[in-house]
Each structure stands twice: as C-alpha cells, then as structure tokens.
Amino acid sequence: MKRLKVAVQKSGRLSEKSLELFRECGIQIPNGTRKLKAAALNFPLEFLFLRDDDIPQYVEQGVADIGIIGENEVWEQEKDIRIIRKLGFAGCRLSLAIPKEKDYSGLSFFQHKRIATSYPNILRRFFAEKKIPVTVEKLSGSVEIATGIGLADGIFDVVSTGSTLLMNGLKEVEIVANSEAVLIASPQLSNDAQLVVDQICFRIKAVQDGCRNRYIMMNVPNEAIPFISALLPGMKSPSVLPLAEPGWSSLHSVVSETEFWDVIEQLKAQGAQGILILPIEKMII
Ligand code: ATP
Ligand code: MG
C-alpha cells in the first residue's frame, strides 16, 4: 500500500492534538526526539513535521499528501488545497480589536484606519466586501502591541480566551470568522493515496462520533420502556435486559453529549433509576 505523507505542525498549538488524533485512530507514531520525519509503525503513513505556515504550500505541491492546519491559514493562503474534514480542536476566532478606551460604534470605526495583522488577505477581503477602505499593516507576529507603539489604530488577530488582548489594553469588537483545525489534502491524489485517506477519515469519524456521544444505562419500570425507547432511540433501538426484580429492566442506549441533559428530567419522571453515563471510545454508525 502507498505510504501517505502527512504534514503536521512541528511545535505549536496544533502539534500535540494532531498526533493525539492519529494515536486515537490506532496509528502508532514512534516516540523520542522529534525529527523532521517519522514513519508510523502500523499504518502506511509518514509524518513530516513543519512550520504550520508552510503546510498549505507543501500540500498544494504534493510534497505532502495531507496535512493538519488551522482553517485560518487555509483562508489566508488561498492555495489550491481541499479541506476534507473539520477536526474540532484548536478552536479560535479571527477578531478585530481596538484600544479599550476608544468608543466603538460599528465597522465604520475602521474607515481609513490602519489595522495590523498577520492575516492581510482575510482582512482585505472582509473590508472589500463591506466596501470600507482601510490600510492593512502586515506583521508576522506580536500584532497585539501594534496599537500601543503607534503602528496601527486597531488589530486583526487570532483570539481564543481574549487574555492577550486584555493584557495589551485592547477590546475585541468584531468576530470576523471562527476557525478550528482541519485536515487538508492535495487537490489531486492518486487512487491509492485516496484509499488511505478514506481509511483515515473513517477512523477519525469513529473517534469524533465516540467523543460526541455517551453510553447511557439505567433501570426502568417495564411500563416506561416504550416511552424511554422513543426518547433514546440510540443507534438502532435500545437494548433491554430483564432485571432479577420482576417488573424492572435495564435499558442501554447511546445519546449525544448535548442531548442527555435535556432528557434526564423526563427519564426521572418516567421512574428511571440508577442512571449511568459512560464515555465511548470509538463509534461506528
Ligand atoms: P509555527 O511556528 O508552526 O509557525 P505559529 O506560532 O504560527 O506556529 P501557533 O501559535 O502554534 O502557530 O498556532 C497554530 C494555530 O492554532 C493557529 O493558526 C490557529 O489556527 C490555532 N489557534 C488556536 N488558538 C490560538 C490562539 N490563541 N492564538 C493563536 N493561534 C491559535
Ligand atoms: Mg506559523
């Protein structure tokens, strides 16, 4: 089988989570001092450890077949690459921020103002669409100090908790986009390579579905089984096992993490007892 080359960030916010995802997919990555390359031990994958900014280019050129990168870099770099799956980590937003003492009345605040950013393309597109003329100052890092040193009137940057903005006397005034880590692929993959990508995507989906769902089990009076089965249909229908105590059953199902708090009151109202919620490691629907 063809060995697929996958580009991941060498060190930074995406590195650990990217490798953890592959490990959760059952792919063994050799430990030890991190080199520039490492071959998976039990899967036709070779890891290339790179700066995150370089990954879109390598994937576009086919030096790497797939890669993991923040969506923000995909939008910024406008390379010929495909997003094949959102990965649910490294969530952040791309926001406009201004000195906290300034009044903010809306986007027109930025008209003819200077905005510092490492994401000039996203920023220019955003204001062009709004038909608001602005001056974009491109910086490669430490954007948050740009207003303090008189380089710009506002900044446009990646924000997660907002503490860096606060520390620099800035306030977030507009969220332009929300980003998360994504799996990207070269526009043209050979059939062999695509087969390996499909296998990886299948495994990632099983991990993600597992994370989003919980195994739920409880004791229920038999007369409540039809109602609770309708409430918790699970993957096909719940499993129902008789308890030693007559008139009672144990009911097992799967429920999404977000839903189970919504149904818990109804379960109790139906007489359910001893409700247990367990994590699911992998789920194949
Ligand atoms: P490299 O040295 O590889 O170029 P970097 O400094 O450009 O690394 P990181 O700061 O490690 O990059 O961020 C990588 C990605 O993590 C970002 O592109 C973004 O998608 C995501 N991210 C999540 N939260 C944040 C945050 N608070 N600040 C910056 N990036 C974040
Ligand atoms: Mg970078």
Side-chain angles (χ1 to χ4, degrees), residues 84-101:
I84 48 177
R85 196 163 188 97
K86 294 200 177 208
L87 299 176
F89 60 85
C92 55
R93 42 197 197 275
L94 288 163
S95 293
L96 286 158
I98 61 171
K100 64 174 187 304
E101 63 281 1

Side-chain angles (χ1 to χ4, degrees), residues 148-161:
I149 58 174
L151 182 73
D153 306 295
I155 68 157
F156 174 63
D157 204 5
V158 173
V159 182
S160 53
T161 60

Side-chain angles (χ1 to χ4, degrees), residues 9 51-54 73:
Q9 190 186 23
R51 287 278 311 270
D52 73 337
D53 320 42
D54 297 335
E73 286 296 340

Side-chain angles (χ1 to χ4, degrees), residues 229-268:
S229 298
L231 205 58
L232 294 173
M235 294 169 79
K236 198 176 208 82
S237 69
S239 310
V240 178
L241 312 160
L243 288 190
E245 185 169 326
W248 282 80
S249 297
S250 171
L251 186 143
H252 298 203
S253 192
V254 167
V255 63
S256 85
E257 192 199 359
T258 47
E259 252 169 76
F260 87 86
W261 290 113
D262 295 340
V263 299
I264 215 100
E265 294 306 324
Q266 295 185 65
L267 296 176
K268 286 195 319 202

Side-chain angles (χ1 to χ4, degrees), residues 88-129:
F89 60 85
C92 55
R93 42 197 197 275
L94 288 163
S95 293
L96 286 158
I98 61 171
K100 64 174 187 304
E101 63 281 1
K102 295 267 170 142
D103 287 333
Y104 184 72
S105 50
L107 275 180
S108 58
F109 171 92
F110 290 100
Q111 185 141 357
H112 300 300
K113 296 264 167 62
R114 290 166 308 159
I115 310 170
T117 187
S118 312
Y119 298 96
N121 292 331
I122 301 175
L123 186 62
R124 280 199 193 99
R125 282 203 303 271
F126 176 74
F127 278 108
E129 225 166 74

Side-chain angles (χ1 to χ4, degrees), residues 117-146:
T117 187
S118 312
Y119 298 96
N121 292 331
I122 301 175
L123 186 62
R124 280 199 193 99
R125 282 203 303 271
F126 176 74
F127 278 108
E129 225 166 74
K130 305 280 176 201
K131 302 199 167 41
I132 298 174
V134 297
T135 304
V136 175
E137 305 283 356
K138 183 179 190 275
L139 295 179
S140 53
S142 305
V143 168
E144 60 283 352
I145 62 163

